[in-house]
Amino acid sequence: MEKRSQVYAGKAKSVYTTDHADFMVMEFRNDTSAFDGQKLAQLDRKGMVNNKFNAFIMTHLEAAGVPTHFEKLLCDTESLVKCLKMIPLECVVRNVAAGSITRRLGIPEGTDLSPPTFELFLKNDELHDPMVNEYHVRSFGWAEDKHVEQMKVLTFKVNDVLKALFDDAGMILVDYKLEFGLFHGDVVLGDEISPDGCRIWDRETREKLDKDRFRQDLGNVIEAYEQVGNRLGIVF
Ligand code: 5GP
């Protein structure tokens, strides 16, 4: 398939059309951002690490029955993906309290959440991705009820699959954000799954091995991402 023109450049990835209307090329860049783009950096190897990390996770999820947009790795920093009509919502599941829920609800970081929480956020940088509920989604027509239901079911299925995957490698999947889109009318997991959009802690030491290392200036950001990948058996 031939890569053509760039159609979108986000904070960490760029998307290109191909000569087939159903497929796009997703490029993972070294650009790293936090706090709605207020903190920016270039981190060596990040594009390659996240591309391969995402490929591994998406392939694992697809094998477990979660439909994903991932088709195949094209090179170190690019993957072929299905062209989705994205739903402008972020689905967040939390197994352990960290990040915004600790500030919003005063829950101490590290509190186990059982059952896990499910939250919806509107994907809108200018509004800082506000939390919304299913009534907002319905009133403003951001997604159909049946699609929200499928997103919820798939988001929890991802939790079952990935919690076990990380647990087997001595890590805790603290929380994560998923984005979905429609492919010929079906709900399909899109965007990426990498330590940029998940919180992952070492099970014994509770050391942070994700983007909080960047947000909180803990250092060794990509080394931590690589450590997570290596523990899952990913070869970078
Ligand atoms: P929080 O609401 O605590 O900031 O984020 C919850 C989880 O979703 C974290 O794993 C965080 O990395 C992820 N997340 C939330 N919003 C975004 C976003 O806009 N981009 C990325 N990459 N991850 C996000």
Side-chain angles (χ1 to χ4, degrees), residues 151-189:
M151 285 159 60
K152 232 191 296 186
V153 168
L154 289 173
T155 300
F156 278 110
K157 174 141 193 184
V158 168
N159 201 36
D160 291 341
V161 175
L162 294 191
K163 241 175 33 170
L165 182 77
F166 283 101
D167 187 57
D168 286 347
M171 294 175 281
I172 303 170
L173 179 61
V174 170
D175 60 28
Y176 57 91
K177 180 261 302 175
L178 302 181
E179 295 181 27
F180 294 88
L182 299 178
F183 185 68
H184 297 303
D186 294 328
V187 174
V188 169
L189 178 61

mmCIF file of all heavy atoms in Angstrom, residues 151-189:
data_model
loop_
_atom_site.group_PDB
_atom_site.id
_atom_site.type_symbol
_atom_site.label_atom_id
_atom_site.label_comp_id
_atom_site.label_asym_id
_atom_site.label_seq_id
_atom_site.Cartn_x
_atom_site.Cartn_y
_atom_site.Cartn_z
ATOM 1 N N MET A 151 -18.746 0.330 23.374
ATOM 2 C CA MET A 151 -17.464 0.876 23.838
ATOM 3 C C MET A 151 -17.207 0.463 25.286
ATOM 4 O O MET A 151 -16.090 0.106 25.665
ATOM 5 C CB MET A 151 -17.479 2.411 23.730
ATOM 6 C CG MET A 151 -17.323 2.904 22.307
ATOM 7 S SD MET A 151 -17.930 4.599 22.071
ATOM 8 C CE MET A 151 -16.911 5.506 23.186
ATOM 9 N N LYS A 152 -18.265 0.505 26.090
ATOM 10 C CA LYS A 152 -18.128 0.144 27.508
ATOM 11 C C LYS A 152 -17.763 -1.339 27.650
ATOM 12 O O LYS A 152 -16.843 -1.693 28.380
ATOM 13 C CB LYS A 152 -19.453 0.432 28.227
ATOM 14 C CG LYS A 152 -19.248 1.273 29.460
ATOM 15 C CD LYS A 152 -20.456 1.367 30.330
ATOM 16 C CE LYS A 152 -21.630 2.066 29.690
ATOM 17 N NZ LYS A 152 -22.734 2.260 30.645
ATOM 18 N N VAL A 153 -18.491 -2.177 26.918
ATOM 19 C CA VAL A 153 -18.217 -3.624 26.990
ATOM 20 C C VAL A 153 -16.778 -3.900 26.554
ATOM 21 O O VAL A 153 -16.024 -4.627 27.215
ATOM 22 C CB VAL A 153 -19.225 -4.408 26.106
ATOM 23 C CG1 VAL A 153 -18.797 -5.853 25.939
ATOM 24 C CG2 VAL A 153 -20.626 -4.322 26.710
ATOM 25 N N LEU A 154 -16.356 -3.282 25.440
ATOM 26 C CA LEU A 154 -15.001 -3.525 24.926
ATOM 27 C C LEU A 154 -13.944 -2.962 25.876
ATOM 28 O O LEU A 154 -12.892 -3.572 26.089
ATOM 29 C CB LEU A 154 -14.843 -2.911 23.531
ATOM 30 C CG LEU A 154 -15.618 -3.621 22.413
ATOM 31 C CD1 LEU A 154 -15.537 -2.842 21.105
ATOM 32 C CD2 LEU A 154 -15.092 -5.047 22.205
ATOM 33 N N THR A 155 -14.233 -1.800 26.488
ATOM 34 C CA THR A 155 -13.254 -1.192 27.400
ATOM 35 C C THR A 155 -13.013 -2.112 28.603
ATOM 36 O O THR A 155 -11.876 -2.270 29.061
ATOM 37 C CB THR A 155 -13.739 0.204 27.848
ATOM 38 O OG1 THR A 155 -13.889 1.017 26.682
ATOM 39 C CG2 THR A 155 -12.735 0.873 28.766
ATOM 40 N N PHE A 156 -14.076 -2.735 29.107
ATOM 41 C CA PHE A 156 -13.895 -3.659 30.239
ATOM 42 C C PHE A 156 -13.265 -4.978 29.798
ATOM 43 O O PHE A 156 -12.528 -5.604 30.555
ATOM 44 C CB PHE A 156 -15.218 -3.887 30.972
ATOM 45 C CG PHE A 156 -15.508 -2.781 31.953
ATOM 46 C CD1 PHE A 156 -16.535 -1.885 31.727
ATOM 47 C CD2 PHE A 156 -14.721 -2.620 33.083
ATOM 48 C CE1 PHE A 156 -16.777 -0.847 32.629
ATOM 49 C CE2 PHE A 156 -14.953 -1.593 33.990
ATOM 50 C CZ PHE A 156 -15.993 -0.705 33.760
ATOM 51 N N LYS A 157 -13.548 -5.383 28.561
ATOM 52 C CA LYS A 157 -12.891 -6.600 28.058
ATOM 53 C C LYS A 157 -11.371 -6.349 27.958
ATOM 54 O O LYS A 157 -10.557 -7.193 28.331
ATOM 55 C CB LYS A 157 -13.475 -6.973 26.687
ATOM 56 C CG LYS A 157 -12.773 -8.123 26.027
ATOM 57 C CD LYS A 157 -13.718 -9.054 25.315
ATOM 58 C CE LYS A 157 -12.961 -10.330 24.959
ATOM 59 N NZ LYS A 157 -13.691 -11.272 24.215
ATOM 60 N N VAL A 158 -11.016 -5.156 27.463
ATOM 61 C CA VAL A 158 -9.597 -4.773 27.410
ATOM 62 C C VAL A 158 -9.006 -4.834 28.817
ATOM 63 O O VAL A 158 -7.879 -5.302 29.020
ATOM 64 C CB VAL A 158 -9.441 -3.356 26.795
ATOM 65 C CG1 VAL A 158 -8.032 -2.822 26.998
ATOM 66 C CG2 VAL A 158 -9.803 -3.378 25.306
ATOM 67 N N ASN A 159 -9.773 -4.394 29.810
ATOM 68 C CA ASN A 159 -9.260 -4.423 31.183
ATOM 69 C C ASN A 159 -8.951 -5.849 31.622
ATOM 70 O O ASN A 159 -7.885 -6.117 32.178
ATOM 71 C CB ASN A 159 -10.282 -3.793 32.132
ATOM 72 C CG ASN A 159 -9.649 -3.334 33.435
ATOM 73 O OD1 ASN A 159 -8.510 -2.857 33.437
ATOM 74 N ND2 ASN A 159 -10.353 -3.482 34.536
ATOM 75 N N ASP A 160 -9.873 -6.762 31.368
ATOM 76 C CA ASP A 160 -9.643 -8.163 31.757
ATOM 77 C C ASP A 160 -8.370 -8.702 31.109
ATOM 78 O O ASP A 160 -7.538 -9.336 31.755
ATOM 79 C CB ASP A 160 -10.826 -9.046 31.320
ATOM 80 C CG ASP A 160 -12.082 -8.734 32.125
ATOM 81 O OD1 ASP A 160 -11.956 -8.142 33.217
ATOM 82 O OD2 ASP A 160 -13.183 -9.076 31.644
ATOM 83 N N VAL A 161 -8.237 -8.429 29.813
ATOM 84 C CA VAL A 161 -7.110 -8.992 29.058
ATOM 85 C C VAL A 161 -5.786 -8.354 29.493
ATOM 86 O O VAL A 161 -4.799 -9.048 29.767
ATOM 87 C CB VAL A 161 -7.330 -8.788 27.536
ATOM 88 C CG1 VAL A 161 -6.119 -9.257 26.729
ATOM 89 C CG2 VAL A 161 -8.595 -9.509 27.070
ATOM 90 N N LEU A 162 -5.774 -7.028 29.593
ATOM 91 C CA LEU A 162 -4.493 -6.353 29.878
ATOM 92 C C LEU A 162 -4.093 -6.434 31.345
ATOM 93 O O LEU A 162 -2.899 -6.507 31.654
ATOM 94 C CB LEU A 162 -4.548 -4.894 29.415
ATOM 95 C CG LEU A 162 -4.677 -4.690 27.900
ATOM 96 C CD1 LEU A 162 -4.456 -3.222 27.549
ATOM 97 C CD2 LEU A 162 -3.716 -5.572 27.111
ATOM 98 N N LYS A 163 -5.062 -6.438 32.248
ATOM 99 C CA LYS A 163 -4.712 -6.588 33.675
ATOM 100 C C LYS A 163 -3.950 -7.892 33.869
ATOM 101 O O LYS A 163 -2.929 -7.942 34.549
ATOM 102 C CB LYS A 163 -5.996 -6.597 34.518
ATOM 103 C CG LYS A 163 -6.036 -5.475 35.499
ATOM 104 C CD LYS A 163 -7.309 -5.330 36.290
ATOM 105 C CE LYS A 163 -8.063 -6.559 36.650
ATOM 106 N NZ LYS A 163 -9.154 -6.311 37.604
ATOM 107 N N ALA A 164 -4.456 -8.954 33.238
ATOM 108 C CA ALA A 164 -3.813 -10.272 33.369
ATOM 109 C C ALA A 164 -2.432 -10.255 32.706
ATOM 110 O O ALA A 164 -1.460 -10.792 33.256
ATOM 111 C CB ALA A 164 -4.696 -11.343 32.734
ATOM 112 N N LEU A 165 -2.341 -9.630 31.539
ATOM 113 C CA LEU A 165 -1.060 -9.569 30.820
ATOM 114 C C LEU A 165 0.011 -8.873 31.675
ATOM 115 O O LEU A 165 1.129 -9.373 31.826
ATOM 116 C CB LEU A 165 -1.258 -8.808 29.492
ATOM 117 C CG LEU A 165 -0.046 -8.701 28.596
ATOM 118 C CD1 LEU A 165 0.200 -10.020 27.869
ATOM 119 C CD2 LEU A 165 -0.245 -7.588 27.551
ATOM 120 N N PHE A 166 -0.346 -7.717 32.257
ATOM 121 C CA PHE A 166 0.629 -6.971 33.064
ATOM 122 C C PHE A 166 0.909 -7.700 34.380
ATOM 123 O O PHE A 166 2.051 -7.736 34.845
ATOM 124 C CB PHE A 166 0.137 -5.535 33.315
ATOM 125 C CG PHE A 166 0.302 -4.645 32.112
ATOM 126 C CD1 PHE A 166 -0.766 -4.341 31.283
ATOM 127 C CD2 PHE A 166 1.545 -4.117 31.783
ATOM 128 C CE1 PHE A 166 -0.614 -3.537 30.155
ATOM 129 C CE2 PHE A 166 1.725 -3.313 30.659
ATOM 130 C CZ PHE A 166 0.640 -3.025 29.843
ATOM 131 N N ASP A 167 -0.122 -8.291 34.956
ATOM 132 C CA ASP A 167 0.060 -9.003 36.226
ATOM 133 C C ASP A 167 1.050 -10.160 36.043
ATOM 134 O O ASP A 167 1.939 -10.360 36.870
ATOM 135 C CB ASP A 167 -1.299 -9.516 36.721
ATOM 136 C CG ASP A 167 -1.179 -10.113 38.106
ATOM 137 O OD1 ASP A 167 -0.731 -9.399 39.024
ATOM 138 O OD2 ASP A 167 -1.497 -11.316 38.263
ATOM 139 N N ASP A 168 0.909 -10.884 34.940
ATOM 140 C CA ASP A 168 1.823 -12.009 34.671
ATOM 141 C C ASP A 168 3.273 -11.539 34.562
ATOM 142 O O ASP A 168 4.197 -12.327 34.735
ATOM 143 C CB ASP A 168 1.435 -12.721 33.361
ATOM 144 C CG ASP A 168 0.179 -13.565 33.536
ATOM 145 O OD1 ASP A 168 -0.228 -13.789 34.695
ATOM 146 O OD2 ASP A 168 -0.409 -13.982 32.513
ATOM 147 N N ALA A 169 3.460 -10.256 34.220
ATOM 148 C CA ALA A 169 4.816 -9.719 34.079
ATOM 149 C C ALA A 169 5.209 -8.878 35.285
ATOM 150 O O ALA A 169 6.162 -8.083 35.229
ATOM 151 C CB ALA A 169 4.898 -8.894 32.788
ATOM 152 N N GLY A 170 4.462 -9.020 36.405
ATOM 153 C CA GLY A 170 4.837 -8.348 37.651
ATOM 154 C C GLY A 170 4.500 -6.870 37.686
ATOM 155 O O GLY A 170 5.151 -6.088 38.405
ATOM 156 N N MET A 171 3.479 -6.479 36.931
ATOM 157 C CA MET A 171 3.112 -5.048 36.891
ATOM 158 C C MET A 171 1.614 -4.865 37.145
ATOM 159 O O MET A 171 0.826 -5.794 36.981
ATOM 160 C CB MET A 171 3.489 -4.446 35.531
ATOM 161 C CG MET A 171 5.007 -4.420 35.291
ATOM 162 S SD MET A 171 5.465 -3.838 33.648
ATOM 163 C CE MET A 171 5.158 -5.291 32.660
ATOM 164 N N ILE A 172 1.251 -3.646 37.534
ATOM 165 C CA ILE A 172 -0.159 -3.312 37.780
ATOM 166 C C ILE A 172 -0.618 -2.346 36.691
ATOM 167 O O ILE A 172 0.041 -1.314 36.452
ATOM 168 C CB ILE A 172 -0.331 -2.593 39.145
ATOM 169 C CG1 ILE A 172 0.218 -3.441 40.290
ATOM 170 C CG2 ILE A 172 -1.788 -2.218 39.384
ATOM 171 C CD1 ILE A 172 0.290 -2.681 41.612
ATOM 172 N N LEU A 173 -1.738 -2.686 36.049
ATOM 173 C CA LEU A 173 -2.367 -1.742 35.124
ATOM 174 C C LEU A 173 -3.259 -0.840 35.981
ATOM 175 O O LEU A 173 -4.348 -1.236 36.390
ATOM 176 C CB LEU A 173 -3.189 -2.488 34.066
ATOM 177 C CG LEU A 173 -3.914 -1.608 33.056
ATOM 178 C CD1 LEU A 173 -2.936 -0.754 32.240
ATOM 179 C CD2 LEU A 173 -4.783 -2.450 32.126
ATOM 180 N N VAL A 174 -2.767 0.344 36.273
ATOM 181 C CA VAL A 174 -3.453 1.271 37.190
ATOM 182 C C VAL A 174 -4.690 1.875 36.523
ATOM 183 O O VAL A 174 -5.792 1.834 37.059
ATOM 184 C CB VAL A 174 -2.471 2.376 37.636
ATOM 185 C CG1 VAL A 174 -3.185 3.491 38.390
ATOM 186 C CG2 VAL A 174 -1.361 1.768 38.477
ATOM 187 N N ASP A 175 -4.493 2.430 35.320
ATOM 188 C CA ASP A 175 -5.609 2.998 34.556
ATOM 189 C C ASP A 175 -5.187 3.137 33.096
ATOM 190 O O ASP A 175 -4.022 2.921 32.751
ATOM 191 C CB ASP A 175 -6.070 4.354 35.144
ATOM 192 C CG ASP A 175 -4.976 5.410 35.163
ATOM 193 O OD1 ASP A 175 -4.062 5.363 34.312
ATOM 194 O OD2 ASP A 175 -5.017 6.287 36.037
ATOM 195 N N TYR A 176 -6.133 3.472 32.247
ATOM 196 C CA TYR A 176 -5.818 3.655 30.826
ATOM 197 C C TYR A 176 -6.967 4.371 30.138
ATOM 198 O O TYR A 176 -8.097 4.397 30.636
ATOM 199 C CB TYR A 176 -5.549 2.309 30.115
ATOM 200 C CG TYR A 176 -6.678 1.332 30.229
ATOM 201 C CD1 TYR A 176 -7.690 1.287 29.273
ATOM 202 C CD2 TYR A 176 -6.759 0.477 31.312
ATOM 203 C CE1 TYR A 176 -8.756 0.405 29.390
ATOM 204 C CE2 TYR A 176 -7.817 -0.406 31.441
ATOM 205 C CZ TYR A 176 -8.804 -0.435 30.481
ATOM 206 O OH TYR A 176 -9.870 -1.298 30.614
ATOM 207 N N LYS A 177 -6.623 4.927 28.975
ATOM 208 C CA LYS A 177 -7.603 5.652 28.167
ATOM 209 C C LYS A 177 -7.700 4.987 26.801
ATOM 210 O O LYS A 177 -6.676 4.670 26.184
ATOM 211 C CB LYS A 177 -7.121 7.099 28.024
ATOM 212 C CG LYS A 177 -8.006 8.007 27.231
ATOM 213 C CD LYS A 177 -7.591 8.223 25.804
ATOM 214 C CE LYS A 177 -6.233 8.777 25.553
ATOM 215 N NZ LYS A 177 -5.889 8.840 24.127
ATOM 216 N N LEU A 178 -8.938 4.748 26.361
ATOM 217 C CA LEU A 178 -9.148 4.165 25.024
ATOM 218 C C LEU A 178 -9.990 5.105 24.175
ATOM 219 O O LEU A 178 -10.836 5.841 24.697
ATOM 220 C CB LEU A 178 -9.889 2.824 25.123
ATOM 221 C CG LEU A 178 -9.264 1.708 25.953
ATOM 222 C CD1 LEU A 178 -10.154 0.463 25.893
ATOM 223 C CD2 LEU A 178 -7.859 1.378 25.477
ATOM 224 N N GLU A 179 -9.755 5.044 22.872
ATOM 225 C CA GLU A 179 -10.599 5.776 21.917
ATOM 226 C C GLU A 179 -11.106 4.786 20.875
ATOM 227 O O GLU A 179 -10.367 3.881 20.466
ATOM 228 C CB GLU A 179 -9.809 6.899 21.249
ATOM 229 C CG GLU A 179 -9.381 7.968 22.255
ATOM 230 C CD GLU A 179 -8.606 9.108 21.613
ATOM 231 O OE1 GLU A 179 -8.803 9.374 20.410
ATOM 232 O OE2 GLU A 179 -7.790 9.704 22.320
ATOM 233 N N PHE A 180 -12.346 4.987 20.479
ATOM 234 C CA PHE A 180 -12.972 4.092 19.512
ATOM 235 C C PHE A 180 -13.443 4.867 18.286
ATOM 236 O O PHE A 180 -13.622 6.088 18.333
ATOM 237 C CB PHE A 180 -14.183 3.394 20.134
ATOM 238 C CG PHE A 180 -13.830 2.448 21.239
ATOM 239 C CD1 PHE A 180 -13.720 2.892 22.551
ATOM 240 C CD2 PHE A 180 -13.580 1.106 20.967
ATOM 241 C CE1 PHE A 180 -13.384 2.018 23.577
ATOM 242 C CE2 PHE A 180 -13.244 0.226 21.984
ATOM 243 C CZ PHE A 180 -13.146 0.683 23.294
ATOM 244 N N GLY A 181 -13.672 4.115 17.209
ATOM 245 C CA GLY A 181 -14.244 4.712 16.007
ATOM 246 C C GLY A 181 -15.090 3.674 15.298
ATOM 247 O O GLY A 181 -15.171 2.511 15.725
ATOM 248 N N LEU A 182 -15.727 4.099 14.215
ATOM 249 C CA LEU A 182 -16.571 3.183 13.444
ATOM 250 C C LEU A 182 -15.861 2.806 12.154
ATOM 251 O O LEU A 182 -15.304 3.670 11.454
ATOM 252 C CB LEU A 182 -17.906 3.857 13.112
ATOM 253 C CG LEU A 182 -18.762 4.263 14.319
ATOM 254 C CD1 LEU A 182 -20.036 4.968 13.855
ATOM 255 C CD2 LEU A 182 -19.103 3.050 15.181
ATOM 256 N N PHE A 183 -15.867 1.499 11.870
ATOM 257 C CA PHE A 183 -15.323 0.991 10.604
ATOM 258 C C PHE A 183 -16.449 0.246 9.907
ATOM 259 O O PHE A 183 -16.888 -0.805 10.414
ATOM 260 C CB PHE A 183 -14.125 0.083 10.868
ATOM 261 C CG PHE A 183 -13.430 -0.388 9.614
ATOM 262 C CD1 PHE A 183 -12.738 0.512 8.810
ATOM 263 C CD2 PHE A 183 -13.474 -1.725 9.234
ATOM 264 C CE1 PHE A 183 -12.093 0.091 7.660
ATOM 265 C CE2 PHE A 183 -12.827 -2.156 8.081
ATOM 266 C CZ PHE A 183 -12.134 -1.242 7.286
ATOM 267 N N HIS A 184 -16.935 0.800 8.814
ATOM 268 C CA HIS A 184 -18.110 0.240 8.129
ATOM 269 C C HIS A 184 -19.240 -0.037 9.124
ATOM 270 O O HIS A 184 -19.876 -1.090 9.090
ATOM 271 C CB HIS A 184 -17.732 -1.041 7.367
ATOM 272 C CG HIS A 184 -16.730 -0.788 6.274
ATOM 273 N ND1 HIS A 184 -16.940 0.117 5.251
ATOM 274 C CD2 HIS A 184 -15.499 -1.308 6.055
ATOM 275 C CE1 HIS A 184 -15.899 0.128 4.444
ATOM 276 N NE2 HIS A 184 -14.998 -0.710 4.915
ATOM 277 N N GLY A 185 -19.434 0.899 10.066
ATOM 278 C CA GLY A 185 -20.568 0.814 10.999
ATOM 279 C C GLY A 185 -20.288 0.060 12.292
ATOM 280 O O GLY A 185 -21.113 0.089 13.208
ATOM 281 N N ASP A 186 -19.141 -0.624 12.382
ATOM 282 C CA ASP A 186 -18.830 -1.388 13.603
ATOM 283 C C ASP A 186 -17.887 -0.612 14.528
ATOM 284 O O ASP A 186 -16.967 0.065 14.045
ATOM 285 C CB ASP A 186 -18.154 -2.725 13.246
ATOM 286 C CG ASP A 186 -19.098 -3.645 12.492
ATOM 287 O OD1 ASP A 186 -20.317 -3.582 12.763
ATOM 288 O OD2 ASP A 186 -18.617 -4.403 11.624
ATOM 289 N N VAL A 187 -18.095 -0.764 15.842
ATOM 290 C CA VAL A 187 -17.210 -0.111 16.813
ATOM 291 C C VAL A 187 -15.885 -0.858 16.877
ATOM 292 O O VAL A 187 -15.852 -2.076 17.093
ATOM 293 C CB VAL A 187 -17.865 -0.072 18.215
ATOM 294 C CG1 VAL A 187 -16.894 0.472 19.246
ATOM 295 C CG2 VAL A 187 -19.129 0.775 18.180
ATOM 296 N N VAL A 188 -14.806 -0.109 16.685
ATOM 297 C CA VAL A 188 -13.466 -0.700 16.624
ATOM 298 C C VAL A 188 -12.528 0.150 17.486
ATOM 299 O O VAL A 188 -12.627 1.382 17.489
ATOM 300 C CB VAL A 188 -12.974 -0.717 15.141
ATOM 301 C CG1 VAL A 188 -11.505 -1.053 15.047
ATOM 302 C CG2 VAL A 188 -13.802 -1.690 14.319
ATOM 303 N N LEU A 189 -11.630 -0.517 18.228
ATOM 304 C CA LEU A 189 -10.655 0.203 19.051
ATOM 305 C C LEU A 189 -9.636 0.910 18.149
ATOM 306 O O LEU A 189 -9.045 0.284 17.267
ATOM 307 C CB LEU A 189 -9.934 -0.797 19.974
ATOM 308 C CG LEU A 189 -8.844 -0.241 20.879
ATOM 309 C CD1 LEU A 189 -9.394 0.812 21.849
ATOM 310 C CD2 LEU A 189 -8.172 -1.380 21.650
#
